[in-house]
């Protein structure tokens, strides 16, 4: 028995396509659209050279921490947001989002949350981009569930906004 999500919603996600992003050849001294040190797309001017996989909707449990909390900056308000989503490994496995060789989930830091929908698919909330909410931590939880064959059951993905201005 692996359990199940409590009060599930559907998360609309855009996974970062690192291969296509890396193939971008921006003007100037940069040789790629992907920074291998920071493991994210390069920003030229105000535009990231980001390529994403097609959107997907996955069942999740929503654990809000902060949504647009006031944060004053020199240039005005830059609201802060953090949102935790729990995904069940059986849903990830069904969608082919678990590497069959390593067992690693294929959701990664840098993936973008676009919206939350209810179980019927009706829109609950869109996530404005910019600033957007991007995965900053991806961590499996719940190891050892099941007596006959111990397994893990949920994946925690922490989403956070991207700063658009320096805080005071």
């Amino acid at each position: 028995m692996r359990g199940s999500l409590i009060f599930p919603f559907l998360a609309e996600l855009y996974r970062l396509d690192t291969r296509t992003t890396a193939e971008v050849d921006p003007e100037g001294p940069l040789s790629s659209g992907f920074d291998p040190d920071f493991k994210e797309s390069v920003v030229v001017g105000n535009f990231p050279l980001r390529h994403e996989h097609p959107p997907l909707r996955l069942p999740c449990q929503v654990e809000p921490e902060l949504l647009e909390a006031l944060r004053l900056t020199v240039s005005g308000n830059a609201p802060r947001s953090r949102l935790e989503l729990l995904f069940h490994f059986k849903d990830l496995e069904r969608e082919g989002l678990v590497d069959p060789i390593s067992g690693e989930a294929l959701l990664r830091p840098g993936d973008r949350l676009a919206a939350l929908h209810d179980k019927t698919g009706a829109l609950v909330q869109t996530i404005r981009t910019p600033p957007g909410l991007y995965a900053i931590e991806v961590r499996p939880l719940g190891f050892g569930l099941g007596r006959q064959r111990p397994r893990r059951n949920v994946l925690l993905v922490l989403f956070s906004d991207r700063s658009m201005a320096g805080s005071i």
Side-chain angles (χ1 to χ4, degrees):
M1 170 135 178
R2 293 174 81 178
S4 61
L5 298 173
I6 301 169
F7 307 118
F9 283 81
L10 295 173
E12 185 176 324
L13 299 171
Y14 285 83
R15 294 174 41 232
L16 176 62
D17 185 343
T18 55
R19 188 170 5 132
T20 305
T21 301
E23 292 171 358
V24 173
D25 186 11
E27 293 182 21
L30 298 173
S31 61
S32 171
F34 187 76
D35 186 317
D37 295 325
F38 291 104
K39 307 239 183 294
E40 65 178 34
S41 54
V42 173
V43 176
V44 175
N46 288 331
F47 303 99
L49 301 178
R50 179 184 175 89
H51 287 265
E52 298 173 324
H53 291 284
L56 56 108
R57 288 188 183 175
L58 292 173
C60 69
Q61 184 174 314
V62 180
E63 303 289 338
E65 285 189 27
L66 291 171
L67 282 176
E68 299 193 358
L70 182 65
R71 178 176 58 180
L72 295 177
T73 67
V74 174
S75 58
N77 182 26
R80 225 176 82 194
S81 297
R82 288 173 69 92
L83 193 66
E84 287 182 357
L85 298 184
L86 295 171
F87 297 94
H88 203 291
F89 267 96
K90 66 184 175 192
D91 297 322
L92 298 174
E93 291 161 357
R94 185 185 65 242
E95 296 295 325
L97 293 170
V98 177
D99 185 294
I101 296 169
S102 69
E104 193 176 7
L106 298 179
L107 298 181
R108 303 258 197 265
D111 293 348
R112 180 172 62 89
L113 177 63
L116 293 170
H117 301 265
D118 68 16
K119 291 191 304 185
T120 67
L123 179 66
V124 173
Q125 181 175 350
T126 58
I127 308 299
R128 283 180 285 129
T129 303
L133 289 177
Y134 296 86
I136 61 168
E137 180 182 353
V138 178
R139 178 172 36 116
L141 300 174
F143 280 86
L145 294 176
R147 288 186 190 165
Q148 301 298 329
R149 186 174 159 217
R151 303 170 83 175
R152 60 195 171 174
N153 68 341
V154 292
L155 181 75
L156 167 75
V157 182
L158 176 60
F159 290 89
S160 183
D161 59 357
R162 298 241 168 130
S163 295
M164 297 187 64
S167 297
I168 340 184

